[in-house]
């Protein structure tokens, strides 16, 4: 009796088929079958701790990445980017992760608040979020007013 074993790989899952009396084994494999990957981690990928001007766009778009417990990227999951009060706006508020597990808010335009913060979250990971911080650039000017002579009237000063 002759046994043949062929391995079939579909979407990263390994399965084996064994048959008796034949050296060829065929089995249908649905390469389009959905693969369930549970998100386990949401991490900042780019765009944290930048410095910019109030009302100005930051040079690096904030982005996150979703992973499984095994470290595999999780595609097709919605991620929401929410600026804190006074922290400006982002071009994309809700984004779906790409095939590599990335989602980006697009351009982040800073607000006038002293502390700038943007939070990324996903319903796939309830209670977990990633915060991005940005600081406003200090003024480029240091103006000192010096009155010469009597300095004019009190109202003028």
């Amino acid at each position: 009796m002759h046994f043949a074993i062929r391995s079939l790989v579909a979407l990263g899952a390994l399965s084996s088929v064994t048959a008796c009396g034949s050296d060829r084994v065929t089995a249908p494999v649905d390469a389009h079958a959905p693969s369930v990957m549970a998100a386990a981690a949401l991490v900042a990928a780019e765009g944290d701790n930048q410095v910019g001007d109030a009302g100005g766009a930051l040079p690096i778009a904030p982005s996150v990445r979703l992973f499984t417990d095994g470290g595999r990227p999780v595609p097709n999951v919605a991620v929401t980017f929410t600026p804190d009060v006074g922290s400006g706006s982002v071009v994309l508020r809700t984004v779906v992760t790409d095939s590599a597990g990335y989602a980006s808010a697009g351009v982040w335009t800073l607000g006038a608040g002293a502390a700038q913060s943007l939070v990324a979250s996903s319903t796939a990971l309830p209670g977990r979020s990633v915060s991005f911080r940005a600081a406003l650039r200090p003024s480029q000017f240091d103006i000192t007013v010096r009155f010469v002579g009597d300095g004019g009237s009190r109202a003028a000063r």
Side-chain angles (χ1 to χ4, degrees), residues 36-42 65-69 72-75 77 122-126 128:
V36 178
M37 294 194 288
L42 178 68
R65 194 167 188 200
L66 245 60
F67 290 103
T68 64
D69 271 336
R72 293 187 62 188
V74 180
V77 174
S122 175
T123 57
L125 290 168
R128 296 191 202 168

Side-chain angles (χ1 to χ4, degrees), residues 56-149:
L58 291 174
I60 301 170
S63 64
V64 295
R65 194 167 188 200
L66 245 60
F67 290 103
T68 64
D69 271 336
R72 293 187 62 188
V74 180
N76 303 318
V77 174
V79 175
T80 302
F81 293 91
T82 308
D84 282 346
V85 175
S87 295
S89 62
V90 291
V91 173
L92 304 170
R93 297 255 332 188
T94 301
V95 184
V96 175
T97 56
D98 64 15
S99 62
Y102 287 100
S104 173
V107 175
W108 180 11
T109 301
L110 297 180
Q116 303 285 316
S117 173
L118 175 69
V119 177
S121 60
S122 175
T123 57
L125 290 168
R128 296 191 202 168
S129 62
V130 172
S131 292
F132 294 88
R133 307 268 185 245
L136 294 180
R137 187 180 333 274
S139 174
Q140 299 292 322
F141 303 98
D142 184 15
I143 299 172
T144 303
V145 177
R146 190 177 82 191
F147 295 102
V148 179

